[in-house]
Amino acid sequence: MPASENLIAAFAASHAATASDKTLNNWLAGLHFWHTVNGATWQGADMLRAVRCGFAKMVPSSSRRTKRPPITIEALCILHDNLNPQSPYDVAVGAVVLTAFWSCCRLGELTVRDRNFFDALKHVSRSTTKELGADILVTARPHRTDPLKALSLHATVNSGIPAYAPLFSYKTSLGWEPLTKTSFMLRCNDVWVQNGFPSMPGHAFCIGGTTELLLQGINPDIIAVQGRRTSRAFLDYWRRVESVLPLFISSSVNINRLQQVDATMSAFVRRHNIPQT
């Protein structure tokens, strides 16, 4: 080290048409980080940028994922209305659904990877922990998908579970189970597919919640706090998901809502002096 720009560019070019540009970016980020921690200069410059542009144009079809729609308020209501309020499992799922959507959460903040992988230092439990973590803001909504009501129902239906258990655990005939991300998504997609919606990825909750809140006129600074993002990170995130906006508009009459969001985000950029790219 340091690896020369010719070597880095040759490495990238040698994998063209075999992987996605996202995969290449992950590889290069790892190499860049390894140089940084070892005090070596990163040589990626003009030649590497040219290779990366060509790489993106040669991504094979097998490495491209079909774009899936985000979770709209309609999809959220369909899911909410089809969960059984008498089922401890469905009640836990519903509490996560509405918290993730309206609080713009990542599912990894609310669910666990598997039933044997719970870390009290990383995951929220039914009691408080001694470790500092992020604050998830949950506010009431004047709608049947109110997350506070869902959390209250979960606390009632799934009471009596040990305090050390993950927060979104549910009662079973044998005791209790933690709600895993896999189990959660299977239940959600089972409802959606049965009602004519495509299956959705987990990050669709955060995308959907962010977009719906902006369309409702909520200040972007508030939404950035909800999603625990800095102003710069929130703008970068928004630029990646703004293409889904038309999916949230049910009528051409509502085109004004799109224009209002565009004006709001422009004002957000000016207010925080974020350079345009």
Side-chain angles (χ1 to χ4, degrees):
M1 288 194 299
S4 69
E5 183 177 16
N6 284 347
L7 178 59
I8 300 170
F11 163 73
S14 69
H15 292 281
T18 66
S20 70
D21 49 337
K22 181 178 180 180
T23 297
L24 175 65
N25 290 338
N26 288 336
W27 289 344
L28 293 176
L31 288 171
H32 192 166
F33 176 74
W34 188 246
H35 276 66
T36 299
V37 298
N38 285 282
T41 302
W42 177 246
Q43 305 285 6
D46 294 340
M47 182 184 295
L48 182 59
R49 278 194 291 272
V51 170
R52 292 173 81 159
C53 288
F55 196 102
K57 295 178 181 178
M58 299 173 66
V59 174
S61 57
S62 60
S63 294
R64 299 183 186 275
R65 293 184 178 179
T66 302
K67 287 188 176 181
R68 300 179 183 179
I71 296 171
T72 62
I73 190 68
E74 179 186 8
L76 187 72
C77 290
I78 288 291
L79 179 55
H80 171 268
D81 294 347
N82 280 273
L83 294 175
N84 181 2
Q86 306 300 320
S87 163
Y89 171 59
D90 273 9
V91 166
V93 169
V96 171
V97 164
L98 301 186
T99 302
F101 185 88
W102 290 117
S103 297
C104 305
C105 293
R106 302 158 187 82
L107 290 185
E109 296 175 306
L110 306 177
T111 61
V112 296
R113 190 176 69 188
D114 61 60
R115 66 190 308 273
N116 297 315
F117 188 77
F118 172 67
D119 186 343
L121 302 183
K122 298 178 180 179
H123 303 116
V124 61
S125 67
R126 299 176 72 85
S127 65
T128 57
T129 68
K130 297 179 180 179
E131 301 297 322
L132 295 177
D135 291 326
I136 295 178
L137 307 179
V138 184
T139 56
R141 308 292 305 177
H143 193 262
R144 67 181 187 275
T145 61
D146 179 5
L148 283 184
K149 288 184 179 178
L151 288 169
S152 177
L153 180 63
H154 170 60
T156 300
V157 172
N158 288 305
S159 62
I161 294 176
Y164 58 78
L167 176 60
F168 295 103
S169 298
Y170 56 93
K171 292 179 179 177
T172 69
S173 59
L174 299 177
W176 61 272
E177 284 283 334
L179 184 61
T180 65
K181 181 179 179 179
T182 299
S183 175
F184 171 80
M185 288 307 304
L186 284 173
R187 183 67 179 112
C188 293
N189 282 318
D190 179 57
V191 171
W192 279 322
V193 170
Q194 288 186 35
N195 285 274
F197 288 85
S199 61
M200 311 270 193
H203 65 267
F205 284 95
C206 194
I207 294 173
T210 297
T211 309
E212 181 62 31
L213 289 172
L214 281 170
L215 287 171
Q216 289 187 7
I218 304 300
N219 189 300
D221 291 290
I222 294 176
I223 303 173
V225 172
Q226 283 279 67
R228 293 158 302 286
R229 289 184 171 90
T230 64
S231 57
R232 171 77 259 185
F234 178 70
L235 180 63
D236 289 343
Y237 177 74
W238 174 245
R239 285 170 174 166
R240 291 198 298 273
V241 303
E242 61 183 342
S243 61
V244 307
L245 266 173
L247 298 172
F248 283 73
I249 306 301
S250 59
S251 168
S252 59
V253 176
N254 292 322
I255 192 65
N256 289 334
R257 296 176 72 190
L258 291 175
Q259 296 171 340
Q260 290 169 0
V261 171
D262 183 62
T264 297
M265 292 307 299
S266 295
F268 176 82
V269 170
R270 293 192 299 271
R271 186 165 60 253
H272 291 281
N273 297 314
I274 301 174
Q276 296 281 12
T277 56

